[in-house]
């Protein structure tokens, strides 16, 4: 998606070989017009796939995911992150490890918002090692629903998440795929 | 806003005299079409007010706020909640107490995303005692910007937040105003 690549090139800040800061349009300040274009792009890619629900993880996934859900005309569910969780029978809970933050957290969704037979499109802002996406996919499958695909705004293709998700049989659609983060800037996958 | 009142009446769950659960369309599962209608309603109310930025608090404020920002064609900034924060010079930080959760947290915004002279529309999902709204307003003013107004999806009018904000001179626009939560359901302010 060219508008997204241009935005990353112009406003993304390379903090290290593995960390890209995009807080001027995605993670903290948000460009709503770009989010709508992103949502329309995901929705177009999954037209005719029978998606019944969009699923994301708070907080940075919500803006692109709500625009995807708006365009597909289906509900959005955002999973809650919690450091630790008292046992609750009415929740699906999965543990997710963040390599970036080096912290384990629990991701939870109310059982009443995922029902057997649903076709779920998972949306997230970043894909690195795939921990969050796998965690959401496990929840979808625990509910007896199926994963239509995984839509990613920015894929760090030099990390293993996209390959692992595809090997596990998931469809992955990434709107920007980063080959390398260098002192000279962001290199995209050709 | 009638569509919102109908949704609250049909899907809201009264948990106690003070707690209304709206997780089927606002807090956990999200109705994107309703969020767009909410955003258009706020945007209409602030047309011509010179709003340059929409500000909200993660996570439940993001969906209505991004639709407001989309319609007003201005950026959104969502403040980050953190339990405790190491001192960081590049942030505006305010302490906010949640009466509902009985927990104090810090709310933070990067200094680079609020600049002097900006006109900021604050959006939040709920208004109870006004703690979150006052915290965001203090950050806006610390940045040398001004508060155009405070747009609330659901105001619990039986709690003191709306009155306190108006007494402090802020414009408050609430799309649904709840007079009482009773075993028989939700009573709206006439």
């Amino acid at each position: 998606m060219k508008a997204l690549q241009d935005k990353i090139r112009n406003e993304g800040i390379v903090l290290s070989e593995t960390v890209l800061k995009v807080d001027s349009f995605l993670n903290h300040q948000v460009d709503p017009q770009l989010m709508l274009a992103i949502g329309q792009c995901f929705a177009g890619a999954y037209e005719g796939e029978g998606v019944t629900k969009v699923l994301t993880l708070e907080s940075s996934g919500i803006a692109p995911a709500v625009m995807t859900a708006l365009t597909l005309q289906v509900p959005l569910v955002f999973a809650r992150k919690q450091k630790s969780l008292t046992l609750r029978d009415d929740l699906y809970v999965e543990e997710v490890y963040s390599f970036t933050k080096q912290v384990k957290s629990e991701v939870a969704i109310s059982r009443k918002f995922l029902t057997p037979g649903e076709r779920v499109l998972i949306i997230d802002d970043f894909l690195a090692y795939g921990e969050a996406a796998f965690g959401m996919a496990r929840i979808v499958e625990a509910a007896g629903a199926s994963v239509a695909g995984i839509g990613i705004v920015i894929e760090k293709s030099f990390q293993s998440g996209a390959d692992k998700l595809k090997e596990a049989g998931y469809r992955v659609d990434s709107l920007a795929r980063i080959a390398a983060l260098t002192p000279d800037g962001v290199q995209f996958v050709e």
Side-chain angles (χ1 to χ4, degrees), chain A:
Chain A
M1 186 181 170
K2 189 172 178 309
L4 176 63
Q5 282 198 8
D6 290 346
K7 198 83 171 174
I8 294 169
R9 210 172 263 127
N10 294 334
E11 299 187 19
I13 299 167
V14 176
L15 289 182
S16 75
E17 280 179 10
T18 56
V19 181
L20 173 69
K21 200 169 180 178
V22 289
D23 65 350
S24 74
F25 61 91
L26 182 57
N27 279 337
H28 184 24
Q29 182 166 262
V30 175
D31 178 336
Q33 261 68 31
L34 180 64
M35 295 303 118
L36 179 60
I38 284 171
Q40 289 169 337
C41 201
F42 285 135
Y46 284 87
E47 212 187 330
E49 292 295 316
V51 172
T52 61
K53 201 156 276 181
V54 172
L55 175 64
T56 192
L57 196 55
E58 63 177 354
S59 293
S60 303
I62 295 174
V66 75
M67 295 303 184
T68 307
L70 179 76
T71 312
L72 286 171
Q73 301 191 45
V74 298
L76 161 71
V77 175
F78 62 89
R80 295 282 192 173
K81 276 181 221 168
Q82 317 203 218
K83 277 282 187 302
S84 75
L85 204 72
T86 50
L87 190 68
R88 290 270 302 274
D89 289 343
D90 55 347
L91 297 176
Y92 295 109
V93 180
E94 285 288 332
E95 210 166 68
V96 167
Y97 181 74
S98 166
F99 285 92
T100 315
K101 295 178 187 165
Q102 301 207 315
V103 66
K104 221 182 262 183
S105 52
E106 285 181 314
V107 166
I109 298 176
S110 283
R111 287 177 182 266
K112 61 181 172 179
F113 299 132
L114 271 181
T115 49
E118 286 207 87
R119 291 278 290 161
V120 179
L121 172 56
I122 294 169
I123 299 288
D124 211 358
D125 58 335
F126 268 97
L127 175 60
Y129 294 98
E131 288 284 311
F134 272 113
M136 286 191 275
R138 287 195 298 274
I139 285 178
V140 169
E141 288 155 7
S146 63
V147 176
I150 297 165
I152 298 294
V153 180
I154 302 177
E155 173 189 307
K156 296 199 266 186
S157 309
F158 56 89
Q159 289 170 333
S160 58
D163 288 343
K164 284 194 291 181
L165 287 167
K166 287 174 196 162
E167 278 163 29
Y170 295 111
R171 173 177 167 186
V172 178
D173 294 84
S174 302
L175 301 187
R177 299 178 65 215
I178 295 177
L181 297 170
T182 73
D184 296 334
V186 179
Q187 286 171 14
F188 293 98
V189 175
E190 296 299 319

